[in-house]
Amino acid sequence: MNKNIKIKSYKIPPDFLKHSNINLKQYKTLYRQSIKKPGHFWATQAKKFISWFSPWKKISTGSLKKLNMRWFVGGKLNACYNCVDRHLETRTNQIAIIWQGDNPNDSKTITYGELYDKICRFANVLKDHGIKKGDRVCIYLPMIPEIIISMLACARIGAIHSVVFGGFSPESLKTRILDAECRLVITADESIRGGKYIPLKKNVDIAIKKCPKVHKVIVVKRTGNPITMHRKRDIWYHEAMMGVDAKCPPKKMDANDPLFILYTSGSTGNPKGVLHTIAGYMVYVTMSFKYIFDFHDGDIYWCTADLGWITGHSYLLYGPLANGGTTLLFEGVPNYPNFSRYWEIIDKYKVNIFYTAPTAIRALRHEGDKWVNKTSRKSLKLLGTVGEPINPDVWEWYYNVVGNAKCPIVDTWWQTETGGILISPLPGATPLKPGSAAWPFFGIVPEIVNDKGKVIKNNNPGRLVIKQSWPGFMKTIYGDRKRFVDTYFKEVPGRYLTGDGAYRDKDGYIWITGREDDVIKVSGHRIGTGEIESALLTVQQVSEAAVVAIPHEVKGQAIFAYVVTKSGAKSDALKKRLNAQVHRVIGPIANLEYVQFVKALPKTRSGKIMRRILRKIASSEFDDLGDTSTLADPSVVDTLIAERKKVSNEAKGRRQ
Ligand code: PRX
């Protein structure tokens, strides 16, 4: 974000103040309490928001310095019980899930009573197939109610779910199944998105050829198109659900038992299995959902994120259902059958809280206001965004055109690792500055530090770290404690290193500037440059590859790959082959926007690729390349610039 741009700030719309859960004065008081006496604060919240089978013995132990923090030690609870059972007395007939299919005519609703019945039955199916407490279950499903049923059925019996986004390739699925040592996979015959069919079961068949521990695959019939079923291994979901016992008591779980693993990309190596534990996560997401989304009974809430990502876990499923809310689950995409789709769904179900990603807002804004203006969106009271920085002009469009200038926007900053939102406006408390995630949530102490770990202030950019432990934070990287310590705690000891850059203005507003490591965000999807490079290196002609992000108007960032080939091969056909390979290894979300064949990469004398230079050249910022004196061969830079200019000129020529 350019600090010189003048930003207009927005007061809280007066109508909103009348009913909001927390005002500015309350926020300030509670925030102070939450960081001065975190034990007392979280004990109060944990009693208020969560039902316990037995109370904790110690509210927390350990610290971020010692890396042994635990919350609600000795407490017993069950996440599924908190999302469903405890609401039955008052909400059996209330709608828990509104499901909207890809086809506008395809929809259904599920009440809390029905959800309870389905989860108990499916939990018994899992048990019948040998799944017990602590086992890992891989869920590779579309956005259909069965994904929620599966996740909660795992939570009910103490199994650990590992949801893999349906857009990942068989290869990525295999890596994740093997890493978590999953014993069972739940999938569907196919998924449908934007009218296109994706062969999920076929992908599973390919993936598990090399996964010896998987002994069962449960298949939901979504489209009914023919698929191959392996007689001894594969089971139809609908058949398994018939005749199974409808009673399944929730397992009494320990506060610090794992709830789920969710894979996310890091700077190096394979994706990391981020492990979250039950109590801390549940307290944090339940409470943050209530305050940040200003949730009230009867609200209709829609989060457009896929359940394969953390946003789906925390704020489509666990947060809303633990609060007894009605959550909308959408199978499709924002541009099918037309660009009004989101706004039509909002009108159809009278959605009043809407949470989406800047990439979707940018894409829809690009198509013009007419698609929005066709709809009323009268029901909306609050808008949210997540996943990447939102530009002030895109924010203003969202506020004025989508929200009719009456809905506050919560720009929520957080990560897979953090479990829930750490920095965000509170809608009834925080005057809004477009493009800023504003202030820390309760219990969160952000700091901005320089390369030496010293705190910096007054608009100066630095690395965003978190100083104090909070209940929603991950426990570890599954099976790799060393990587957990090295990634997040080595460079700035005693602080959680987020990997993001940020600065704080004079009013205490935090402005996120983007990732500082080798993670890029393409359409809000988090992808490690190392993963893409490894995929490129599997192509026989490639001898070296370096991937950087360049700004993209709609996607936020796009992938730019520099490729050195053996014998200097370069052709459009080879570019296509490289892209196809990246799709095959990672999935179509990792699309190479630009491939530039180069003679050599800029390296230091110790052989480290200087990505800073590659980023600048990719963005055609040739004038300010910084210090190049440490390069083993500085002349490489001139060649790279010449090659880049040649490619840009050719592209310009083609456009004219
Ligand atoms: O760079 C930040 C960006 O998304 C990263 C986390 O990605 P992931 O683990 O996939 O989780 C995304 C959804 C919680 C962060 O390190 N990010 C997330 N929210 C924002 C953001 N960047 C700027 N503003 C945000 N509101």
Side-chain angles (χ1 to χ4, degrees):
M1 206 64 58
N2 184 340
K3 280 183 277 167
N4 300 320
I5 294 177
K6 209 165 159 30
I7 305 277
K8 172 180 166 198
S9 72
Y10 285 74
K11 291 206 181 91
I12 303 147
D15 274 358
F16 199 88
L17 281 175
K18 284 187 211 142
H19 55 68
S20 69
N21 280 327
I22 287 208
N23 62 30
L24 183 57
K25 198 162 157 234
Q26 290 165 322
Y27 166 71
K28 287 191 172 161
T29 313
L30 274 173
Y31 180 72
R32 214 173 309 118
Q33 288 171 3
S34 75
I35 58 170
K36 289 239 160 78
K37 289 191 175 165
H40 176 74
F41 178 83
W42 288 114
T44 313
Q45 305 305 323
K47 275 185 212 141
K48 181 168 164 193
F49 282 95
I50 291 297
S51 306
W52 301 81
F53 295 136
S54 42
W56 54 88
K57 299 200 168 65
K58 269 199 116 173
I59 189 74
S60 72
T61 59
S63 70
L64 273 191
K65 283 206 175 74
K66 293 198 182 124
L67 287 180
N68 56 351
M69 49 281 173
R70 296 279 177 275
W71 285 90
F72 312 109
V73 180
K76 300 269 183 224
L77 77 168
N78 184 286
C80 177
Y81 178 91
N82 273 279
C83 287
V84 185
D85 305 39
R86 65 168 170 163
H87 305 313
L88 291 176
E89 213 174 297
T90 50
R91 302 183 195 273
T92 308
N93 297 319
Q94 182 199 307
I95 294 170
I97 301 171
I98 299 172
W99 177 72
Q100 173 58 59
D102 187 58
N103 179 329
N105 300 323
D106 218 357
S107 64
K108 65 177 137 184
T109 55
I110 298 178
T111 64
Y112 272 97
E114 290 163 343
L115 185 61
Y116 171 77
D117 178 75
K118 287 176 200 290
I119 291 168
C120 288
R121 284 175 196 275
F122 193 56
N124 281 329
V125 170
L126 291 175
K127 283 208 259 183
D128 288 349
H129 292 290
I131 298 300
K132 51 185 191 322
K133 180 180 167 186
D135 285 344
R136 275 79 58 204
V137 172
C138 174
I139 301 176
Y140 184 64
L141 277 171
M143 292 281 280
I144 53 178
E146 288 78 2
I147 187 169
I148 294 183
I149 296 164
S150 301
M151 290 166 77
L152 289 176
C154 287
R156 190 166 192 85
I157 61 172
I160 304 167
H161 59 70
S162 166
V163 182
V164 178
F165 173 56
F168 275 123
S169 67
E171 184 68 25
S172 294
L173 177 63
K174 179 194 84 183
T175 315
R176 287 157 175 76
I177 293 174
L178 285 176
D179 188 79
E181 299 171 293
C182 294
R183 299 190 54 217
L184 186 142
V185 179
I186 308 165
T187 190
D189 46 5
E190 295 176 305
S191 68
I192 320 174
R193 277 164 62 83
K196 293 197 193 90
Y197 290 60
I198 299 137
L200 294 188
K201 172 63 165 60
K202 201 166 142 203
N203 288 351
V204 170
D205 288 343
I206 300 168
I208 64 176
K209 270 191 193 142
K210 297 204 180 104
C211 301
K213 293 223 160 100
V214 174
H215 69 287
K216 286 284 168 219
V217 178
I218 302 181
V219 187
V220 178
K221 192 177 263 189
R222 169 66 190 103
T223 65
N225 286 328
I227 53 162
T228 311
M229 293 288 279
H230 295 252
R231 205 164 42 85
K232 288 204 176 128
R233 191 196 64 194
D234 301 345
I235 308 145
W236 282 110
Y237 173 92
H238 60 275
E239 286 176 7
M241 289 286 269
M242 276 187 312
V244 71
D245 192 357
K247 278 208 189 73
C248 176
K251 188 118 191 133
K252 290 192 173 134
M253 301 294 289
D254 194 81
N256 287 285
D257 278 336
L259 178 60
F260 64 83
I261 300 169
L262 187 57
Y263 284 86
T264 192
S265 296
S267 311
T268 51
N270 279 337
K272 305 175 279 204
V274 170
L275 183 90
H276 280 285
T277 48
I278 303 169
Y281 175 82
M282 287 303 291
V283 170
Y284 196 79
V285 299
T286 309
M287 178 229 186
S288 56
F289 176 77
K290 167 94 178 164
Y291 292 135
I292 294 171
F293 295 99
D294 196 56
F295 177 75
H296 289 74
D297 244 7
D299 281 342
I300 307 288
Y301 168 83
W302 181 17
C303 163
T304 65
D306 195 283
L307 278 158
W309 309 118
I310 192 70
T311 308
H313 280 56
S314 304
Y315 297 113
L316 193 166
L317 195 167
Y318 286 109
L321 292 187
N323 277 285
T326 298
T327 189
L328 196 149
L329 179 69
F330 176 45
E331 187 183 33
V333 292
N335 58 356
Y336 176 85
N338 63 53
F339 294 105
S340 291
R341 190 71 198 275
Y342 274 0
W343 325 126
E344 281 165 1
I345 294 177
I346 288 173
D347 283 353
K348 179 172 174 187
Y349 297 108
K350 310 250 175 312
V351 169
N352 52 1
I353 309 172
F354 178 65
Y355 190 35
T356 194
T359 187
I361 305 168
R362 286 191 298 264
L364 294 170
R365 172 178 177 251
H366 188 78
E367 300 303 323
D369 297 3
K370 67 170 193 226
W371 297 103
V372 192
N373 291 338
K374 276 207 271 186
T375 60
S376 109
R377 291 152 285 103
K378 246 193 1 238
S379 52
L380 287 173
K381 69 163 185 179
L382 178 66
L383 300 170
T385 80
V386 60
E388 330 148 57
I390 177 163
N391 300 344
D393 53 336
V394 176
W395 190 103
E396 305 244 356
W397 183 82
Y398 194 31
Y399 184 83
N400 290 312
V401 180
V402 175
N404 291 324
K406 68 175 176 60
C407 308
I409 297 179
V410 287
D411 174 352
T412 62
W413 177 87
W414 59 297
Q415 310 175 299
T416 308
E417 292 88 339
T418 67
I421 297 165
L422 299 200
I423 305 176
S424 168
L426 285 186
T430 320
L432 304 166
K433 293 196 191 190
S436 170
W439 297 332
F441 188 64
F442 302 125
I444 304 303
V445 186
E447 278 181 348
I448 293 160
V449 300
N450 64 17
D451 286 343
K452 298 199 174 71
K454 289 263 166 316
V455 175
I456 44 179
K457 291 189 176 143
N458 302 335
N459 272 327
N460 288 313
R463 314 169 97 180
L464 177 65
V465 298
I466 310 293
K467 189 177 168 189
Q468 232 166 259
S469 161
W470 71 100
F473 187 50
M474 67 191 285
K475 183 178 184 184
T476 189
I477 292 176
Y478 183 75
D480 201 345
R481 164 106 182 143
K482 184 172 179 313
R483 194 172 172 197
F484 170 68
V485 176
D486 289 353
T487 310
Y488 305 114
F489 297 97
K490 209 168 169 183
E491 289 181 41
V492 189
R495 306 280 188 271
Y496 164 63
L497 180 68
T498 66
D500 277 8
Y503 63 92
R504 201 189 310 230
D505 72 16
K506 63 176 187 349
D507 303 320
Y509 281 64
I510 293 175
W511 299 77
I512 308 290
T513 50
R515 298 291 305 191
E516 298 236 301
D517 53 11
D518 294 321
V519 168
I520 59 184
K521 279 268 168 160
V522 183
S523 301
H525 298 317
R526 180 168 157 176
I527 307 173
T529 51
E531 290 168 71
I532 308 169
E533 289 161 8
S534 305
L536 288 168
L537 286 168
T538 60
V539 176
Q540 201 240 329
Q541 285 99 323
V542 176
S543 59
E544 280 190 288
V547 166
V548 295
I550 68 164
H552 187 283
E553 211 184 317
V554 171
K555 297 178 184 177
Q557 294 190 315
I559 301 171
F560 190 112
Y562 292 91
V563 177
V564 184
T565 54
K566 294 170 192 160
S567 73
K570 49 178 168 181
S571 65
D572 283 346
L574 182 54
K575 278 188 190 172
K576 276 202 184 121
R577 198 151 2 114
L578 295 175
N579 216 357
Q581 178 66 353
V582 174
H583 288 195
R584 199 187 69 73
V585 176
I586 301 172
I589 56 169
N591 190 53
L592 305 179
E593 199 83 18
Y594 306 90
V595 177
Q596 185 165 332
F597 294 110
V598 293
K599 289 200 183 71
L601 296 170
K603 288 186 191 156
T604 60
R605 279 174 217 117
S606 58
K608 200 167 173 272
I609 295 172
M610 284 187 85
R611 287 166 195 281
R612 175 175 55 78
I613 294 178
L614 289 174
R615 257 180 238 127
K616 294 254 176 188
I617 296 177
S619 306
S620 299
E621 291 170 22
F622 307 125
D623 296 336
D624 177 26
L625 294 180
D627 182 12
T628 55
S629 63
T630 54
L631 286 174
D633 176 6
S635 74
V636 168
V637 172
D638 295 333
T639 318
L640 279 168
I641 292 176
E643 285 164 335
R644 177 78 183 108
K645 283 186 176 161
K646 192 165 163 241
V647 173
S648 315
N649 288 340
E650 281 166 7
K652 260 190 224 146
R654 273 199 298 275
R655 278 200 299 274
Q656 275 159 12

